Every structure is written in C-alpha cells, then in structure tokens.
Amino acid sequence: MNQFTIGIDLGGTNIKAAIFDNEYKSLTEKSIPTEAAMGPNHVMNRIKETIMDMIHTSNLSLTDIKCMGMGIPGLLDPYEGLSIFSPNFPHWENIHVVNHMKTFFDFQTFIDNDVRVNLYGEWRYGSGVGYENLVLITLGTGLGSGIINDGKVIYGKTSSAGEIGHMNMYREGRPCKCGSSGCLGRYVSAVGMVNTFIEKLNEGQQSIIQEWVGQDHSLITAKMISEAYDQGDHVAIEVMHETGRILGFGLSNVINILNPELIIVGGGMSAAGDRLLNIVRETTAKHALKLSSQACKIQQAQLGERAGMIGAAAYANERLKQTKA
C-alpha cells in the first residue's frame, strides 16, 4: 500500500504524467493535449482523467498512491498550493490546484514551478547528480530557469527567484509578456531564435528554409534552423551563432552572480546541442569572470522531456517527508 508516486508535468500544449515506484522507475507514462483554452476546470478534469486512466492501466488502486507532484508553469505559491498566474493558460489566475485535486483524490498533492521540478529531476537523477551549485535553463517558448545554491533550491520571498529569462539585455528590445522589453528569453528561446531568423529574411537574406516552407515564414521552426545549419546555410549559421552569443552574455552574468559548478541547458531547443552550446561556452569564457567561468561546465540536459515528471514525483516525496517530520 502507498508505494507509488505520480508526477505531472503540466504544459501549455500537453499534460505529461507518469506513475513511479520507489526507485523512480515508471509503471506507465501518458501524454495528452492540455486543451488550456477550455479553461482551468477543464484542465483539472483532464489531469484527473489521466491519473485514473494510468491507475487502471497499471492495475493499481487509489490506495496504492502515496502522493503526487505537479510542475506548473508561471508564478505560484508552492506551500499554499496556489497557481497565481500562468501566461500561456487563458483565464488562469489564482487557481488553487491542490484544493482542486483534493476534490478528486485523498492522497496529498504538492505543486511547484515547472522549471524547478525539471531542475529537481536533473539534479537528483540526471546530469546534475553530485553537484551542489547548479542552474538549469529551459529553452522553449521562453527561457525558464531554476537555481540550486549550496545544495538548496532557491525560492526567494515570493517563490519567483531565478527568472533569468527576464534579465534585461536591451534597453529598447522586443516586447515581453512580463510587461518589460528586451528580456533574454525573447532572443534565445526557440521562439526568439525563429524571430531572429525571420528578421534576417525580411532584410532580404536568402535561406534554404524558404524552399522548405514555401515562403510561409510561420512554418519555420528551431529544428529547421538546426537542420539548415548542418547543410551549411549561411543564415542558419549566422542566427545560431548570434543566439549563442546573446545566451552566452546572459549566462556570463549568471556565472558572475551565482558562481555555479554547472549550467544545464534543457527544453526543446537544447536539441541544437553543440551547434549552440559551443558558442555559448566561447562567450562565457571570454566575458565571465575567469575564475568562475573555469569552474563552471555548460552541458545539455540528460533526462529530456521526462525530467519534469521525475522531478515532480521526487519533489512530492521530499515535501511529504517534510510534512511528516
């Protein structure tokens, strides 16, 4: 009884969920569309249905589940169980996720920011094992980040520490949903890199990608830019290098301020790998403090899309121990 933990990674596009045993081996995993536009109650019901389906598939009962962890994008209060604001979820303000789950399940539910649970997963079971000072950034729609300092996850006064993606890089730059402009995430995320690429095309540069998308720039993806890079496309190479340099300048600030041993780069765009990261490393080596930069490795995330589910489950078990202490 009570031998299994559920990990939920709630994304704007998909809900990714898994049931884990005590060794964090998954019994079953499931991914379904979030359908965020249908509103918070619909999303909560989608999560409930996913959990019940996984329990049935695994031949378990609700009494076999000891707790559940959920990674949720945006600003939240992890101890109140309240999701305050999530920019990619319509009408999502002050949603008490834990109370919603209590109407469905008796086991305890714990929530945290989606990037922090990704960080927790990589730290405990991925590329961050053995490190006590590390930073995780995720490059996708934006730039998410989480920080571990001297073996502790950093939260800050309002549980919103580590918003590296909103570090201002340009006084008058691209507008950001946070209300500011010129934020790092507007340039080095997958969306940011695509926007930079489109700007080059609008200036008159020519790329093989134009043939692939039939001149429809809305079809361009970060993956296409990586593929064009491999084919020697000069625009793709220029954009990849420019993106890497901007990210390198941003991470130079991170290295100078936090002095981490390791920076892990995750998210969908991390698939660019060394095409991007070699430029990042070169930039930080030149512009971060020498002693700090030499002590810091920058590498790709190991767990990929599973980090959020594993991290959410591990985080929930840690919180459950704290409640019983």
Side-chain angles (χ1 to χ4, degrees):
M1 183 178 287
N2 301 128
Q3 295 298 307
F4 302 97
T5 306
I6 296 172
I8 304 284
D9 185 0
L10 177 61
T13 303
N14 293 305
I15 299 166
K16 294 188 284 290
I19 298 177
F20 296 97
D21 65 15
N22 288 329
E23 302 299 321
Y24 294 100
K25 295 177 182 177
S26 64
L27 277 70
T28 184
E29 297 182 15
K30 188 176 178 66
S31 178
I32 64 169
T34 306
E35 299 179 356
M38 301 290 288
N41 286 331
H42 180 78
V43 173
M44 293 297 113
N45 283 322
R46 298 278 286 167
I47 293 170
K48 175 202 169 187
E49 291 164 6
T50 301
I51 292 167
M52 294 306 299
D53 181 65
M54 289 194 303
I55 288 173
H56 176 75
T57 301
S58 303
N59 293 316
L60 300 176
S61 67
L62 289 173
T63 57
D64 293 313
I65 307 300
K66 56 182 171 180
C67 60
M68 175 169 70
M70 300 176 64
I72 299 173
L75 302 176
L76 48 76
D77 183 337
Y79 290 95
E80 176 63 25
L82 180 70
S83 177
I84 298 168
F85 173 69
S86 190
N88 297 319
F89 285 69
H91 313 296
W92 191 282
E93 293 183 5
N94 295 317
I95 305 301
H96 207 298
V97 177
V98 169
N99 281 352
H100 270 279
M101 291 299 110
K102 282 180 180 177
T103 65
F104 301 141
F105 307 113
D106 290 332
F107 51 77
Q108 286 188 265
T109 298
F110 303 96
I111 69 169
D112 205 344
N113 176 267
D114 60 335
V115 182
R116 275 198 293 263
V117 299
N118 268 268
L119 169 67
Y120 208 90
E122 288 287 346
W123 181 34
R124 294 303 194 195
Y125 302 100
S127 53
V129 172
Y131 292 90
E132 295 295 294
N133 293 276
L134 63 150
V135 175
L136 170 74
I137 63 168
T138 57
L139 302 175
T141 305
L143 188 159
S145 51
I147 300 165
I148 291 173
N149 180 253
D150 291 339
K152 295 181 179 179
V153 180
I154 301 301
Y155 282 84
K157 177 65 176 177
T158 61
S159 299
S160 52
E163 289 289 352
I164 293 167
H166 295 290
M167 183 186 303
N168 187 272
M169 302 298 291
Y170 300 97
R171 183 166 296 184
E172 298 295 336
R174 295 173 183 169
C176 181
K177 288 182 179 179
C178 75
S180 185
S181 60
C183 294
L184 179 63
R186 294 301 90 203
Y187 297 87
V188 302
S189 61
V191 171
M193 186 166 72
V194 169
N195 286 338
T196 300
F197 192 89
I198 292 172
E199 287 174 1
K200 304 288 185 188
L201 298 184
N202 290 339
E203 291 168 0
Q205 296 196 48
Q206 298 295 311
S207 166
I208 190 173
I209 291 180
Q210 290 166 293
E211 299 174 12
W212 300 348
V213 300
Q215 302 296 322
D216 185 351
H217 293 173
S218 67
L219 299 177
I220 297 173
T221 65
K223 182 180 179 181
M224 288 181 184
I225 296 174
S226 290
E227 292 170 351
Y229 178 101
D230 291 340
Q231 295 188 33
D233 184 84
H234 76 280
V235 183
I237 293 171
E238 180 182 342
V239 168
M240 188 73 72
H241 289 181
E242 183 176 324
T243 303
R245 282 192 295 272
I246 297 171
L247 181 55
F249 279 114
L251 293 185
S252 293
N253 294 329
V254 171
I255 290 169
N256 290 348
I257 294 169
L258 297 174
N259 193 202
E261 306 163 80
L262 176 67
I263 296 175
I264 304 170
V265 181
M269 194 173 131
S270 67
D274 286 341
R275 303 178 189 91
L276 177 72
L277 296 185
N278 281 340
I279 299 297
V280 174
R281 295 180 186 115
E282 289 175 14
T283 305
T284 56
K286 290 179 181 177
H287 296 282
L289 292 170
K290 188 173 183 180
L291 184 64
S292 300
S293 66
Q294 288 177 342
C296 181
K297 294 194 294 186
I298 300 173
Q299 65 186 49
Q300 195 172 351
Q302 180 178 321
L303 296 179
E305 293 187 352
R306 301 186 73 244
M309 296 184 293
I310 296 171
Y315 164 77
N317 277 312
E318 187 64 30
R319 286 285 307 277
L320 186 64
K321 290 177 185 176
Q322 292 172 5
T323 63
K324 293 180 177 180

